[in-house]
Structures are given as C-alpha cells and as structure tokens.
Amino acid sequence: MTKDQKVILYLLACVQFTNIMDFMIMMPMGPIIMKEFSLTAREYSFLVSAYSISAGVCGFIAAFFVDKFDRKNVLTIAYIGLLIGTFACAVAPTYTMLMMARIVAGVFGGVLGSQVIAIVGDTISYQYRAEGMAIIMAAFSTASVLGVPLGLYLASSISWHIPFVFIVVVGFVNLLLIYRYLPNLTSHINTSLIKPSPFAVLTNIAKDSNQIKALCLSVIVIFGHFCTIPSLSPYLTINVGMSVDNVSLIYLIGGAVTIVSARVVGKLADKKGKYLIFAICGTLFLIPVYLMTNLYTGASLVVILSITTMFFLFANGRTLTMQAIVSGVVDNEQRGGFTSINSSVLQLGSGAASFVGGLIVQKASDGKLLHYEWVGYLSIAFMIVGIVLGKYIKPYKE
C-alpha cells in the first residue's frame, strides 16, 4: 500500500474509534445504567438494540443514493449527525430521552460505518484488503484498550454522562482531520451507470446470488456475536462474582491483544486466503463462546480474562476476514449502495440479536441471570452455519 492509502486508512480508523466506542460503551456500562434508571435486563437490552435497529433502517435507506455523491461529503455529514446524537446522550436526563438519543446516534452511525468500508473498498485493492480491514478493525481494539476503560473510569468516578462528552470532543478533532487530509472520493460516480430506478441497488443484489450469500454471511456472523454481548457484563458481575471495577480489564486486555493480532491476521488472510483464515478463526471462536457462557460462580479473575481475551482474539480475526470477503463481491460503482445494505443487515442483525438475547436471558428473584448459556449455544450454531456458507462466496473480478 502507498503512503497516501495508509493515511486514509488511519484517518478512517480514527473515525471508527469514536463510532465504535459510542456503540461499545453502552455494553460495559450496563450495571451502571441499569442501576441509574432501575432497569431490568430486558429493558437494558432494548436500549442497546435501539441504536442497532435505527442504524439498520437508515443504512438501508441510504443505500439508494450514497453512490451518487462524493464519499467524503457523505462521511462528513454522517459523522456530524453521530456527534449530535452522542451529545444528546450526554445530556439525557431520563431513560426515555436516552433511548431517543441512542436512536438518533444510530441513524447516522450506520451510514458512517458503511461509508468507511466503502472507502476502504474503493481505495485498497482486493489483494491487500484484509490488511486494510485490519487497520480499520484496530479502531475496535483501540476503543477496547483506551476508550472503554477510560469511559468506564469517567462513568464510575464522575458520571455516566461524561464518556459521551469525551466521544464528542475526540470526534470534533477528527472532523478537522477529515477536512484537511481526506481527499474527495468521486471515482465511483459514473453517470452512465446510474439507472433511473432508485431501487437499482436492490435489483443488482437480487440478481447476484453471490451478493445475497455475502449479506447472509454478515447477518449470521453478527447475530451469533451480539446475542451474547449485551448480557456479558451483568452476567460476569452478578452470576460469576466479578468485581465491577475489573470489567474494564476485559476490554483493556482483549483489545491490546487484538491490536497486535489484527495486522498479523490481515496479512495472513491476504497471503493464505481470506476464507481459510476466516474458517480457522471462526472455528476457534467456538471455544471461548462455550466457556464464557458457562462460567462457574467464583471463577478467578485469571480464568475470566483468559476466556474473554480468547473471545476478543478470534472474534476480531473472524470479523475482519469476513468484512474483506464481503467487501469484495461488488465493483466500485455499486460498492457504496451494497455496503450500506450490508451495514443495514449488520445493524439489524445485532439489534435483533440483542433483542432475542434479552428475551432468552431472564432475571431470577435473587437477581441472578438465567439461561445465559442458551445464547452461547445459539452463537455457536450461527457461527458453524457461517463457516459453511463462507466457502461459497467468490470475489468480484476487479
């Protein structure tokens, strides 16, 4: 990759850092927010899924027009909207207002995420795309290592509102960097290819079984992941007995490991084959999912962190290779619309997973969570299906 390509990737990673932290911070803050608003596990899962569902709906709508505009402009507008929604979270006084603010943030967050992936697809050839995706995925790891622990510290020592203020401040700096360093991206705009029907993106997908399989892979993988995540922190603190103060260590250590592993996995995927590395990471992912959702009461901190670190490690490798596979099924002219649809199904899938997980996991009279192991078995089943399906997805001939 050239120096200019790397600048674009690292800038997009900075954008994704705030986007991912905005979404992630809600999950480890579960015990704090549930206590603040006197919420049940089900009510809290609805709060988490509200962001994902609104992101999915708006990502779907955006698919019909994003390929007609400069990707830099679309990215900037979506980012401004995300920061406005996040600021609304920071000042929300009630559960209802926080729910509305999360919906607003999701409206723009879904569009933002899809544009990041589209820009990577436009600027990085398929040959090096897994490594490019690894740089973007490093934003997840950095958010885990720096963003989430810092956010939890601010939430516990000052107020749960403060992490959202932090995201807005960092996001404003990123906006200045986007204006200064991100070039206009219009090479995908070709008026001769723009069809009269605004639903052309859906028509193209419907005619291409490869694109359909890629979308199915996305939703299967993300559903299997997010049915376990929202209840993880409450489960570890309430059922297993982990201290709330140690929850940040899960994200700190897991994120630190994936910062190192992501680039290695990305380069291996580009060299050995994206599906092969996806299948290996997906298979190994099954181990920590089973162990994590079947932890015994009183498990030591070392045991908990070992299992959750494996979870982060293999989930990260599986996701970045999946993104590389999915981004490669269309050409540049269709990529924005397709990635918006893909982002939509990802967000709806994660929202549906959080919702279903909330329905399965129940709160007992003594406060402990019941049936968390069930969502673990569900996650394992979905991942196995995803591994089989991924074998049949072929890259677009660039």
Side-chain angles (χ1 to χ4, degrees):
M1 291 186 287
T2 66
K3 181 180 178 180
D4 289 341
Q5 287 175 321
K6 289 182 178 179
V7 168
I8 292 174
L9 287 173
Y10 285 116
L11 178 55
L12 293 176
C14 289
V15 171
Q16 280 292 78
F17 168 80
T18 50
N19 191 16
I20 293 169
M21 182 180 172
D22 183 79
F23 174 67
M24 281 184 60
I25 195 63
M26 289 297 295
M27 289 175 279
M29 282 205 308
I32 297 174
I33 292 180
M34 289 172 70
K35 181 179 179 181
E36 178 74 21
F37 295 106
S38 301
L39 305 179
T40 65
R42 179 175 299 184
E43 288 172 329
Y44 178 68
S45 69
F46 293 162
L47 186 61
V48 174
S49 63
Y51 179 103
S52 301
I53 293 172
S54 64
V57 172
C58 289
F60 180 81
I61 295 172
F64 301 126
F65 60 83
V66 290
D67 281 329
K68 299 181 180 181
F69 301 99
D70 184 339
R71 298 214 197 281
K72 177 179 179 178
N73 293 339
V74 177
L75 183 82
T76 301
I77 293 170
Y79 201 25
I80 291 172
L82 174 70
L83 296 181
I84 291 173
T86 303
F87 181 74
C89 293
V91 298
T94 65
Y95 172 71
T96 301
M97 293 299 293
L98 181 58
M99 176 76 77
M100 293 175 63
R102 295 306 294 163
I103 291 173
V104 172
V107 165
F108 296 98
V111 178
L112 180 67
S114 69
Q115 287 307 292
V116 168
I117 301 301
I119 292 172
V120 174
D122 284 357
T123 56
I124 308 298
S125 67
Y126 188 74
Q127 180 182 0
Y128 302 107
R129 196 165 296 156
E131 185 180 356
M133 289 296 179
I135 293 176
I136 300 302
M137 287 298 294
F140 173 86
S141 304
T142 306
S144 300
V145 172
L146 299 177
V148 172
L150 176 60
L152 284 174
Y153 172 77
L154 294 173
S156 60
S157 61
I158 304 176
S159 168
W160 67 267
H161 302 273
I162 303 302
F164 296 109
V165 176
F166 171 78
I167 294 170
V168 173
V169 172
V170 176
F172 180 75
V173 175
N174 286 341
L175 276 175
L176 298 178
L177 294 175
I178 290 172
Y179 176 78
R180 175 66 179 84
Y181 293 106
L182 186 66
N184 294 96
L185 299 164
T186 58
S187 63
H188 62 284
I189 301 176
N190 187 335
T191 55
S192 65
L193 295 178
I194 296 177
K195 300 180 180 181
S197 171
F199 302 106
V201 62
L202 294 181
T203 304
N204 291 333
I205 291 173
K207 292 179 179 178
D208 188 348
S209 62
N210 204 41
Q211 291 185 43
I212 294 174
K213 286 183 284 189
L215 293 176
C216 289
L217 178 64
S218 290
V219 74
I220 286 170
V221 168
I222 208 69
F223 190 98
H225 185 79
F226 275 95
C227 63
T228 63
I229 290 296
S231 297
L232 176 60
S233 293
Y235 173 75
L236 292 177
T237 55
I238 298 172
N239 288 45
V240 181
M242 183 181 188
S243 170
V244 175
D245 295 334
N246 289 329
V247 170
S248 62
L249 290 176
I250 295 173
Y251 297 87
L252 178 64
I253 298 174
V257 169
T258 55
I259 284 177
V260 177
S261 67
R263 295 296 296 274
V264 175
V265 171
K267 289 182 178 181
L268 275 175
D270 286 332
K271 184 177 181 180
K272 301 295 184 180
K274 296 171 179 58
Y275 171 72
L276 174 63
I277 304 303
F278 166 76
I280 291 173
C281 289
T283 302
L284 293 174
F285 173 76
L286 305 180
I287 300 172
V289 170
Y290 174 80
L291 295 175
M292 187 177 71
T293 56
N294 286 274
L295 272 170
Y296 55 91
T297 302
S300 69
L301 183 60
V302 172
V303 170
I304 295 171
L305 293 179
S306 297
I307 294 172
T308 55
T309 299
M310 283 195 297
F311 179 87
F312 271 84
L313 174 64
F314 299 128
N316 183 267
R318 170 212 59 184
T319 302
L320 76 87
T321 48
M322 181 269 286
Q323 292 278 26
I325 291 170
V326 171
S327 71
V329 300
V330 293
D331 59 11
N332 283 4
E333 287 76 15
Q334 300 177 45
R335 184 168 286 116
F338 177 79
T339 55
S340 291
I341 294 291
N342 185 56
S343 176
S344 176
V345 299
L346 284 173
Q347 296 290 353
L348 291 173
S350 64
S354 298
F355 181 80
V356 171
L359 294 177
I360 294 174
V361 178
Q362 303 293 319
K363 197 170 186 178
S365 58
D366 61 357
K368 289 189 175 182
L369 302 185
L370 304 174
H371 312 314
Y372 187 57
E373 70 278 9
W374 293 6
V375 295
Y377 302 143
L378 185 63
S379 175
I380 290 171
F382 270 75
M383 189 65 249
I384 292 173
V385 173
I387 293 170
V388 175
L389 177 61
K391 184 176 178 60
Y392 298 97
I393 299 174
K394 305 302 179 183
Y396 179 85
K397 299 296 183 179
E398 294 187 347

